[in-house]
Amino acid sequence: MSTDENDTAEESSASPRTQSVDVVVVGAGTSGCYAAATIANAGYDVTIVERKSAEEAGHIACGDALKGADAFPEAIPKSKIEPAFTNTEVDHGRFEIPQEDTVLDIPVPGELAVIDRWEYGRLIIEGADEAGVELHYDTVVQDVKQDDDGTVTGIVGKHDGEVVEYDADIVIDGAGSLSLLQDKVDFSDATFDTNVSYQHFSSAYREVVEVPEPVEWSDALVFKPAEVAAGYVWYFPRTETEINAGLGFQMTEEPMKLVDDLKKDLRERPEFEGAEVIDKLGAALPTRRPYDSATAPGYMAVGDAAAHVNPTTGGGIAGAAYAGKYAGEQAAIALDAGDVSEEMLWRYNQRVMDHFGGRYASLDVYNILSTAVDVDDLMGLIASIPGEKLAEALYSGTTSFGPVLLAQTAASSYGHWSQIYEFFKIKRLADELLAHYGRYPTRPSALEGWKVERDRIMDDIYELTGADPKY
């Protein structure tokens, strides 16, 4: 249970001190808040350490589109976050392809909403607080505490320039993309995935723009390719007149050039004439498969810190919420048993892979394909695929794009037959990969053997696409 050496709980966020808790969670984002609330609901003491101030916490660069709005973990119930849903009329995607003079309407499965991300951030923090979680703001983590046997035992940070330490049975890393904690932990005796590179991440930049007249596409999520295959522009309507306009691009590209692409596109769209920018923000996000393992003794990573993001769309809110739930539930089981070994925490990895991790890994195959083809060829391919099949590929990780549909599509898409046929072959390998993730191991000791077969499938994907190996 928590012990305060100097001050009361009410003063804890203002006065640095050493604190002992059952679990410390780093980061007050979606995954961190859902993990912490789940643990608090199980009766354990949990503290969230957040680098931002209480006023700025929850202010995160995001596209604001929420897929899976109908299903959220109950630790912070959906009713709590619904006031942040500003547009629940969106029901499809609209993919603009200037190279082909085409606009595709893409059905999107599941409930959609566009949200006010900052308001949503405030509400999940409030939900965690109501569950009994302590929140310590303005605290920057600088190091991780670890026993000689490799078990993570806490964190070290700074608050108002003073050192503050947290001793904990379990540390949950919700610190986002390229988390500092992962640079500080010695994972040599754990399965935790350290095969991570900056090339696995994208930069994202977005502006919230107020336009003078309602847009005609207020019921759609609008996507448009940037001038390179590694990037895309989006326009997501928070309301009929408040638009989240942004872009994402691989970190191998020049950031400012693509930001200029967004501003150029905004200038050329008549609906944005006379628009006012009311907020702007940037961030990094993973566009890679989920970590093979996000566990180590006494330690779990969740959300962006474990690449729990759809790598084709950048969507990560629902996945992060469920990753937080699964990590929180496994933490409570481990605390009940008095065992925080990786073997005990491993079930968390299994649940992530079963729910969405395998699907996201298969979706990454299409990202790999996009790096190996000319952007015009890629757009020609996308324009040739029926919208519902494209939606299946983008969201489910597989599609019923069989030989008959292949022949029909090729016959009606003169000039793009070779790209369509390659998509068909890639789709078959993506399905094989998805099936292999369905056999994700039940114990840490089996991970290396499972990876051998997964990497064989990946070698076939690289050979077929001609892409440089990503991992």
Side-chain angles (χ1 to χ4, degrees):
M1 306 302 284
S2 66
T3 60
D4 297 317
E5 295 187 351
N6 299 309
D7 301 301
T8 64
E10 288 78 8
E11 296 167 323
S12 62
S13 63
S15 300
R17 80 256 187 259
T18 300
Q19 181 178 2
S20 296
V21 293
D22 296 317
V23 181
V24 63
V25 177
V26 180
T30 296
S31 59
C33 285
Y34 275 90
T38 300
I39 295 164
N41 286 335
Y44 288 100
D45 284 339
V46 54
T47 296
I48 293 177
V49 174
E50 168 57 44
R51 65 182 177 83
K52 294 181 179 178
S53 67
E55 293 73 25
E56 278 291 313
H59 191 201
I60 295 172
C62 180
D64 293 347
L66 174 57
K67 181 183 176 296
D70 54 332
F72 257 68
E74 282 303 309
I76 302 173
K78 180 186 174 184
S79 59
K80 179 68 184 178
I81 61 174
E82 278 183 319
F85 292 16
T86 57
N87 184 355
T88 57
E89 300 301 316
V90 287
D91 59 10
H92 68 286
R94 173 186 167 98
F95 201 98
E96 301 177 353
I97 310 178
Q99 296 94 325
E100 299 289 324
D101 194 24
T102 298
V103 176
L104 294 179
D105 283 330
I106 304 173
V108 179
E111 184 179 337
L112 281 175
V114 182
I115 64 174
D116 180 330
R117 181 60 182 79
W118 199 351
E119 179 61 18
Y120 163 85
R122 293 187 186 104
L123 290 172
I124 60 171
I125 290 171
E126 190 176 286
D129 178 67
E130 290 170 356
V133 176
E134 278 196 37
L135 287 126
H136 293 182
Y137 300 104
D138 299 304
T139 304
V140 178
V141 175
Q142 297 187 316
D143 207 351
V144 175
K145 304 172 74 172
Q146 194 168 11
D147 279 348
D148 291 340
D149 67 359
T151 301
V152 174
T153 60
I155 59 171
V156 180
K158 273 197 172 181
H159 175 85
D160 286 347
E162 295 185 57
V163 174
V164 56
E165 294 190 8
Y166 295 82
D167 295 328
D169 293 316
I170 296 174
V171 172
I172 294 182
D173 176 4
S177 299
L178 301 168
S179 166
L180 171 72
L181 279 71
Q182 292 167 31
D183 293 332
K184 300 296 185 179
V185 177
D186 178 1
F187 291 119
S188 57
D189 293 324
T191 64
F192 194 92
D193 194 343
T194 57
N195 182 16
V196 181
S197 162
Y198 80 97
Q199 295 174 319
H200 300 163
F201 296 82
S202 290
S203 291
Y205 171 79
R206 68 100 175 100
E207 296 179 352
V208 179
V209 181
E210 187 75 42
V211 297
E213 300 292 336
V215 296
E216 62 179 21
W217 34 265
S218 61
D219 61 347
L221 303 178
V222 179
F223 298 88
K224 181 180 179 180
E227 294 184 3
V228 293
Y232 71 91
V233 177
W234 71 75
Y235 299 102
F236 295 167
R238 282 186 175 184
T239 69
E240 290 183 329
T241 58
E242 188 175 288
I243 314 300
N244 182 311
L247 79 167
F249 48 88
Q250 291 296 127
M251 285 191 173
T252 51
E253 301 296 328
E254 290 293 333
M256 290 313 299
K257 178 181 181 301
L258 289 170
V259 171
D260 289 342
D261 287 348
L262 172 64
K263 294 184 178 296
K264 177 175 178 289
D265 204 61
L266 284 167
R267 288 194 298 270
E268 293 176 352
R269 298 181 76 98
E271 61 264 52
F272 287 93
E273 185 175 353
E276 178 186 358
V277 176
I278 59 178
D279 190 31
K280 57 178 68 175
L281 205 60
L285 73 155
T287 44
R288 52 154 290 156
R289 67 191 181 204
Y291 285 11
D292 292 345
S293 167
T295 59
Y299 182 90
M300 289 180 279
V302 292
D304 283 12
H308 294 154
V309 173
N310 182 324
T312 59
T313 67
I317 295 176
Y322 274 95
K325 165 188 167 70
Y326 300 148
E329 289 176 348
Q330 201 60 37
I333 291 170
L335 291 168
D336 286 346
D339 178 2
V340 299
S341 67
E342 188 166 30
E343 191 86 30
M344 177 60 75
L345 299 178
W346 187 257
R347 177 63 180 155
Y348 159 64
N349 283 329
Q350 290 180 263
R351 295 181 75 187
V352 166
M353 293 302 185
D354 181 62
H355 184 171
F356 60 83
R359 179 163 50 92
Y360 286 1
S362 65
L363 287 168
D364 189 44
V365 173
Y366 302 106
N367 266 2
I368 291 169
L369 172 64
S370 75
T371 67
V373 298
D374 178 81
V375 65
D376 290 336
D377 288 342
L378 180 64
M379 292 306 108
L381 167 63
I382 290 173
S384 303
I385 299 172
E388 69 276 10
K389 301 304 174 187
L390 187 61
E392 287 175 0
L394 288 175
Y395 290 101
S396 71
T398 186
T399 175
S400 54
F401 195 87
V404 173
L405 184 58
L406 168 69
Q408 292 173 343
T409 303
S412 62
S413 303
Y414 178 77
H416 297 297
W417 189 89
S418 62
Q419 291 96 336
I420 295 167
Y421 184 56
E422 181 166 353
F423 176 81
F424 173 69
K425 291 189 290 183
I426 287 295
K427 173 260 179 192
R428 294 181 68 176
L429 286 174
D431 288 351
E432 184 180 354
L433 187 66
L434 181 60
H436 184 62
Y437 270 81
R439 299 185 288 273
Y440 185 81
T442 58
R443 60 191 188 280
S445 60
L447 183 64
E448 286 304 314
W450 176 87
K451 285 165 63 176
V452 169
E453 175 61 13
R454 190 275 311 279
D455 292 346
R456 181 200 64 77
I457 299 170
M458 293 302 301
D459 286 343
D460 289 345
I461 290 166
Y462 297 135
E463 181 177 359
L464 178 59
T465 62
D468 292 333
K470 186 172 181 178
Y471 301 102

